[in-house]
Amino acid sequence: MIREFSLALALAVTGQIAFAGCAGQEDTCEIPMGAYHIELPDADNAPMVVFLHGYGGSGSGTMRNRGMVEPLLERGYAVMAPEGLERPDRGGTKSWNFYPGFGERDETAFLTEAVQDAARRFGIDTDRVLLGGFSAGAFMVNYLACESPDTFSAYVPVSGGFWRPHPETCNGPIRMFHTHGWTDNVVPLEGRLLGGGRFQQGDIHAGLEIWRDANGCVDHKPTGFSTTGDFMRRRWTTCAEGSALEFALFPGGHTVPAGWADMIVDWYEGLPGS
């Protein structure tokens, strides 16, 4: 099938399993605004998770996180890992244009172009595409969702929210599941100062309040609590029709935790209309 062909071709080309490329081809998928990697499940018209790497990371690095990618493929989801723009002022380090001065590319247009390209080339179901990201990628997820909430079906950031000053308001409603490590010291729950105080990461709980407002939630208090393995989850459900907001903490630091992929798919497939 498609996945087995992709792995076999990678082995033939490199002599070892290479988890990157364009659905089995060694090179990335090139589009006018950038590039992306993609792996496909054994299914047609598949849903997809687009996952944005962190600061200094890469799309190929994202695809090497097999603890995240393999469960998504097994659940029938394609996995796309776009490449951030290189920053010449940082020696070619890659990141995302979510904050003034971080780049010039219109990331919403780029990601939309990438999804449309994947739909044309690989038959992706564009009505079932989730946007996730880690760290700087998660910051990008939040800012894109804030400005253009209808771009993706749902948003699933890990270890990243907003920067200070926080947005005064966000467009909505949205469907979001935010995951964060209790001991994260790179993007602490309270935020931190960077660049000698020139930049300030935002407070994750303040961001959740912004999302409750965007979703028209009638109360700040969660309406439900649950656990999934080590994940401690809380949700808000007395909100606008079609919205969803959930937050999960895990007892770890700055990472995409084990079990995240299955938890996110279970959440998404439990939403009305998904």
Side-chain angles (χ1 to χ4, degrees):
M1 303 298 285
I2 294 174
R3 281 180 58 204
E4 283 71 16
F5 172 78
S6 300
L7 295 180
L9 182 58
L11 282 166
V13 171
T14 67
Q16 60 183 353
I17 295 179
F19 298 114
C22 189
Q25 299 178 20
E26 185 178 7
D27 295 332
T28 56
C29 298
E30 300 290 334
I31 56 178
M33 296 187 71
Y36 66 88
H37 303 265
I38 191 169
E39 285 191 49
L40 305 174
D42 296 330
D44 296 326
N45 196 37
M48 183 166 67
V49 174
V50 178
F51 199 86
L52 309 181
H53 61 76
Y55 178 82
S58 66
S60 58
T62 294
M63 300 307 286
R64 288 194 293 270
N65 182 358
R66 305 314 291 178
M68 180 187 77
V69 174
E70 288 290 348
L72 293 172
L73 295 171
E74 290 168 4
R75 297 290 293 270
Y77 286 71
V79 181
M80 175 189 285
E83 292 286 0
L85 274 181
E86 294 184 359
R87 296 184 59 184
D89 63 324
R90 296 295 178 89
T93 297
K94 293 181 179 180
S95 193
W96 305 96
N97 180 25
F98 60 84
Y99 193 87
F102 278 30
E104 296 182 357
R105 183 170 65 184
D106 182 335
E107 303 290 25
T108 300
F110 164 57
L111 295 172
T112 299
E113 180 182 71
V115 171
Q116 291 173 345
D117 184 74
R120 177 181 59 83
R121 297 168 71 170
F122 310 117
I124 297 301
D125 182 354
T126 57
D127 290 329
R128 294 186 294 159
V129 180
L130 297 79
L131 180 64
F134 170 66
S135 194
F139 286 117
M140 185 70 248
V141 170
N142 275 270
Y143 279 98
L144 188 152
C146 183
E147 295 179 3
S148 305
D150 295 331
T151 306
F152 291 88
S153 178
Y155 298 89
V156 287
V158 182
S159 303
F162 292 115
W163 289 56
R164 296 180 186 274
H166 301 102
E168 293 184 5
T169 60
C170 281
N171 298 320
I174 63 159
R175 303 196 294 181
M176 176 175 283
F177 192 127
H178 182 112
T179 307
H180 215 96
W182 176 250
T183 60
D184 191 332
N185 203 35
V186 177
V187 182
L189 289 165
E190 299 80 7
R192 67 175 177 133
L193 302 178
L194 293 169
R198 291 185 299 117
F199 305 108
Q200 299 183 46
Q201 293 173 351
D203 187 294
I204 297 301
H205 293 288
L208 288 170
E209 182 170 4
I210 294 169
W211 289 123
R212 287 193 297 269
D213 289 343
N215 278 1
C217 300
V218 300
D219 198 351
H220 302 298
K221 182 177 70 69
T223 50
F225 301 87
S226 62
T227 58
T228 299
D230 289 335
F231 294 99
M232 297 180 293
R233 301 168 58 175
R234 56 175 62 188
R235 66 189 63 88
W236 292 264
T237 56
T238 54
C239 308
E241 183 177 358
S243 69
L245 183 61
E246 187 155 342
F247 178 61
L249 280 172
F250 62 93
H254 196 61
T255 187
V256 180
W260 176 83
D262 279 314
M263 178 176 67
I264 289 303
V265 171
D266 288 341
W267 167 78
Y268 179 69
E269 293 185 349
L271 298 176
S274 296

